[in-house]
Each structure stands twice: as structure tokens, then as C-alpha cells.
């Protein structure tokens, strides 16, 4: 699960993670639940239908499939799967009952979205192998993700027996599995970092597995600490050098000195940004979670840029010891898979 405050680039990070996990012949499913078609835009393809469709080939021949989960279609699937109400479900749709369940009752909608994703996690092919090596969900924003993922616990408590209760429990077994993780995307800015800190606390309080913090759009430090500290002392030297180079339009150097001031102001602003980012990094480090930084791509994130970010993620993953959430041990309860590394 990949979450983050709006504007942090969580969809981009989810897509890069899916490409990174679909390595060396592996197959990854990238799931979208907010109906924004952000995945289609990133991969420069047409809008995703309610079906799993291959959208990319990763390094080493792995494949990325994508699914935009539609709550109404998921409810029809649910009614058919557990109650054999295929025809009746379509009749309910005609009279507006499906729309009521998926829009007026948001808790039901979240149950359907998480349930559909978890069904993909547990699905096997005819040979008994799991269809996907990993499932990555572009989840709702940080402020809503704990409620979104924990709604099945509430449903299981309300429906004590029957298929609804059993389905809700099965979903929570996947979501709380050691093979599952919720990764949080942030920027090195005060509000996104604070929302990340709050989100980690909420997830931990709900017993949901927290993965890594991804610092997105990280910008490099142009000047080192010594250069920033001594910038004011360089004012005469810079003015003299500019004048000698013929910059500023005045032999006396007055014009050159006027050019120096804006540069020193930018250096000061850069120094302040570096200082504030160091404070944000300390706040993130205090969470005690693995941290990954993805660089700002100055030309924007097109398809080539997405592969570039995926390569960065892949390098970081290979440089770590194998994390618990991508363990190859899929089995409990007689071999039923609890989750897929995401």
C-alpha cells in the first residue's frame, strides 16, 4: 500500500515501486482505488477498464498489470461470488441500490475496494501458483488510509457470522500479514512530514504494518556547508571577478556588485532550505523506519522518468537485506496466502 499527503506524488511512487518489483520475470499488479486514472496517465495509455491489463514490461522481462477498481462492479462481483445474485445484482443496479451502497455508504465502498485487491493477492492459476508475485495499491491519502484499511475490522465485528463476516476477516488477515506493508510518501516540508508522522502513529495504533517512508522530489544541495557559511565573505571577490569578466556593464565594478547581491540572496535562501530540510529529515529518522529518497526530475515524470525512478527503487531494494514484507513464505492455514509483498 502506498499512501501520502495529496501532492507528494504517491501515485508516481506506487507506479515506480510496481516496476521495481516486477523484476527478472516477476509479475506485479498495480491497483488504483480512487477513480482518478492516474496510473493510465503515468504509463501514457488509455483509461483503465475494470479488468487487469498489462501496461508495462519491467527490467529483466517482468510485467506490470494494472487494475482500476470500480466500487459498483466490485459489489456486483461480491453479490455473485457469495450469494449467487448475478441477475438480481443487475436488477438492483437498475433501481439505484448499487449506487446507494457505493456512494451513500462509504464504509461499504471501502470494504469492496480492499476486498477486490485482496482477492487478487490470494488468486492462484490452474497450476496452483499465485498469479501475482506482488500487488501494489495506490491507496487513499494519509489522512484517510487507516480508516480505509481498517473498515473490515468494523464489518467483522458487526456481522458476527456468515459470508460477510468471513470475507472481512479474510481481508484483514491479508492487510495485517507480515507480507504486507503501508509505505508513506512525503516531501521535505513541514505539513507533509507532520501528516506522515501522524499517519504512522495511526497505522501502528490500528495494528497495520508500516513499511518505509519515501522522501519524494528530493533536491540536491548545490553548495556545501562551508560555502554557504562563507558566502558573505566572498562579496568583494565575486564583484571583482564579475567586473574583470566584463559583467555588469561598468568598468568601475558598480554594476558587477549589483549582480552579486541577488546571487548571495539566492545562496541564503538555499542555505535556509537545506537547514529546514535537515530538521524534516530528523523528524523522519525519529520514526525508526527505513527511508528511501527519490530525486526531483527537473523535466517532469514522463514514461522514461518513471523507469528512471523505478531503477532507483530497484537499486535501493537490492541494497537492503530482504525485508519481512516480501518473504517467500506465503502459507498459513494449510497454504492459503495471507498477503503479497507490496
Amino acid at each position: 500500500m502506498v499512501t501520502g499527503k495529496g501532492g507528494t506524488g504517491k501515485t508516481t511512487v506506487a507506479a515506480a515501486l510496481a516496476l521495481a518489483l516486477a523484476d527478472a520475470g516477476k509479475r506485479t499488479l498495480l491497483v488504483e482505488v480512487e477513480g482518478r486514472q492516474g496510473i493510465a496517465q503515468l504509463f501514457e495509455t488509455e483509461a483503465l477498464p475494470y479488468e487487469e491489463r498489462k501496461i508495462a514490461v519491467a527490467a529483466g522481462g517482468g510485467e506490470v498489470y494494472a487494475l482500476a477498481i470500480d466500487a459498483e462492479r466490485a459489489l456486483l462481483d461480491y453479490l455473485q461470488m457469495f450469494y449467487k445474485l448475478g441477475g438480481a445484482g443487475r436488477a438492483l443496479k437498475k433501481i439505484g441500490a448499487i449506487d446507494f451502497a457505493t456512494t451513500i455508504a462509504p464504509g461499504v465502498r471501502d470494504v469492496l475496494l480492499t476486498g477486490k485487491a485482496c482477492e487478487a493477492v490470494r488468486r492462484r492459476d490452474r497450476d496452483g501458483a499465485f498469479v501475482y508475485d506482488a500487488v501494489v495499491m495506490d491507496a487513499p491519502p494519509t489522512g484517510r488510509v487507516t480508516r480505509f484499511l481498517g473498515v473490515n475490522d468494523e464489518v467483522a465485528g458487526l456481522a458476527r457470522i456468515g459470508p460477510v463476516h468471513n470475507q472481512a476477516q479474510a481481508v484483514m488477515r491479508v492487510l495485517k500479514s507480515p507480507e504486507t506493508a503501508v509505505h508513506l510518501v512525503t516531501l521535505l516540508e513541514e505539513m507533509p512530514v507532520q501528516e506522515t508522522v501522524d499517519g504512522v502513529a495511526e497505522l501502528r495504533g490500528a495494528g497495520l504494518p508500516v513499511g518505509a517512508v519515501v522522501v519524494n522530489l528530493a533536491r540536491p544541495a548545490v553548495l556545501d556547508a562551508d560555502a554557504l557559511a562563507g558566502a558573505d565573505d566572498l562579496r568583494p571577490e565575486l564583484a571583482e571577478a564579475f567586473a574583470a569578466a566584463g559583467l555588469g556593464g561598468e568598468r568601475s565594478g558598480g554594476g558587477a556588485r549589483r549582480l552579486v547581491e541577488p546571487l548571495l540572496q539566492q545562496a541564503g535562501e538555499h542555505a535556509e532550505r537545506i537547514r529546514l530540510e535537515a530538521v524534516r529529515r530528523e523528524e523522519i529518522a525519529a520514526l525508526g523506519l527505513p527511508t528511501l529518497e527519490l530525486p526531483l526530475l527537473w523535466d517532469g515524470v514522463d514514461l522514461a522518468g518513471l523507469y528512471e525512478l523505478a531503477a532507483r527503487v530497484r537499486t535501493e531494494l537490492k541494497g537492503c537485506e530482504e525485508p519481512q514484507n516480501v518473504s517467500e513464505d506465503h502459507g498459513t492455514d494449510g497454504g492459503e496466502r495471507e498477503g503479497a509483498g507490496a
Side-chain angles (χ1 to χ4, degrees):
M1 313 286 179
V2 179
T3 184
K5 179 177 170 59
T8 59
K10 69 179 180 65
T11 301
T12 300
V13 172
L17 179 59
L19 277 170
L21 290 171
D23 192 14
K26 295 181 180 179
R27 178 182 291 182
T28 300
L29 177 65
L30 178 58
V31 176
E32 182 177 74
V33 296
E34 295 184 279
R36 296 185 295 106
Q37 290 292 336
I39 293 172
Q41 295 175 32
L42 276 172
F43 285 92
E44 300 177 6
T45 186
E46 60 187 15
L48 296 174
Y50 182 66
E51 63 182 36
E52 291 156 29
R53 172 177 293 181
K54 186 168 75 172
I55 59 170
V57 176
E63 298 175 333
V64 176
Y65 285 72
L67 171 65
I69 302 179
D70 176 79
E72 291 188 8
R73 295 284 298 275
L75 180 53
L76 292 174
D77 287 350
Y78 185 90
L79 293 173
Q80 174 61 24
M81 183 180 301
F82 291 103
Y83 297 100
K84 308 302 180 186
L85 293 177
R90 288 188 290 274
L92 289 172
K93 180 175 176 62
K94 289 182 179 179
I95 64 173
I98 300 296
D99 182 64
F100 173 83
T102 56
T103 58
I104 306 302
V108 173
R109 182 178 184 277
D110 292 348
V111 167
L112 296 167
L113 296 175
T114 54
K116 183 64 178 179
C118 291
E119 181 276 326
V121 168
R122 297 192 300 265
R123 193 188 315 146
R124 296 175 184 265
D125 60 22
R126 293 181 179 179
D127 297 326
F130 291 107
V131 173
Y132 295 106
D133 297 287
V135 175
V136 178
M137 177 187 285
D138 177 17
T142 316
R144 201 172 77 82
V145 71
T146 302
R147 169 97 182 173
F148 172 77
L149 297 177
V151 68
N152 285 277
D153 258 345
E154 299 178 14
V155 171
L158 292 173
R160 298 289 183 178
I161 59 173
V164 173
H165 173 82
N166 295 337
Q167 167 70 1
Q169 282 197 322
V171 170
M172 290 312 301
R173 283 199 300 271
V174 172
L175 296 181
K176 292 187 175 182
S177 162
E179 293 180 355
T180 299
V182 183
H183 305 301
L184 297 98
V185 182
T186 186
L187 306 180
L188 289 175
E189 299 173 5
E190 182 177 4
M191 290 186 63
V193 169
Q194 185 58 54
E195 190 160 316
T196 298
V197 172
D198 294 341
V200 169
E202 291 178 2
L203 289 165
R204 286 171 169 168
L208 292 163
V210 183
V213 175
V214 181
V215 176
N216 196 26
L217 305 177
R219 293 176 288 177
V222 179
L223 302 175
D224 60 28
D226 292 338
L228 290 171
D232 281 341
D233 297 334
L234 294 176
R235 181 178 279 100
E237 294 180 34
L238 286 172
E240 183 178 344
F242 279 20
L247 300 174
E250 298 180 22
R251 285 186 170 275
S252 64
R257 282 192 292 273
R258 286 194 293 273
L259 290 176
V260 169
E261 294 305 321
L263 289 177
L264 293 180
Q265 181 180 350
Q266 288 186 13
E269 293 171 354
H270 180 71
E272 180 65 8
R273 177 175 69 81
I274 296 300
R275 184 188 68 80
L276 292 175
E277 288 182 351
V279 174
R280 304 287 89 83
R281 283 190 171 94
E282 290 177 0
E283 293 172 350
I284 293 170
L287 295 171
L289 297 171
T291 303
L292 167 66
E293 290 201 9
L294 296 179
L296 169 66
L297 301 182
W298 298 103
D299 294 330
V301 182
D302 55 8
L303 191 55
L306 188 60
Y307 275 86
E308 181 180 340
L309 293 177
R312 177 68 173 264
V313 173
R314 191 158 49 244
T315 299
E316 295 282 346
L317 291 177
K318 289 181 178 178
C320 301
E321 295 181 1
E322 183 172 344
Q324 185 181 21
N325 63 296
V326 290
S327 166
E328 290 300 320
D329 180 12
H330 299 308
T332 59
D333 299 334
E336 180 184 358
R337 187 182 196 175
E338 292 293 339

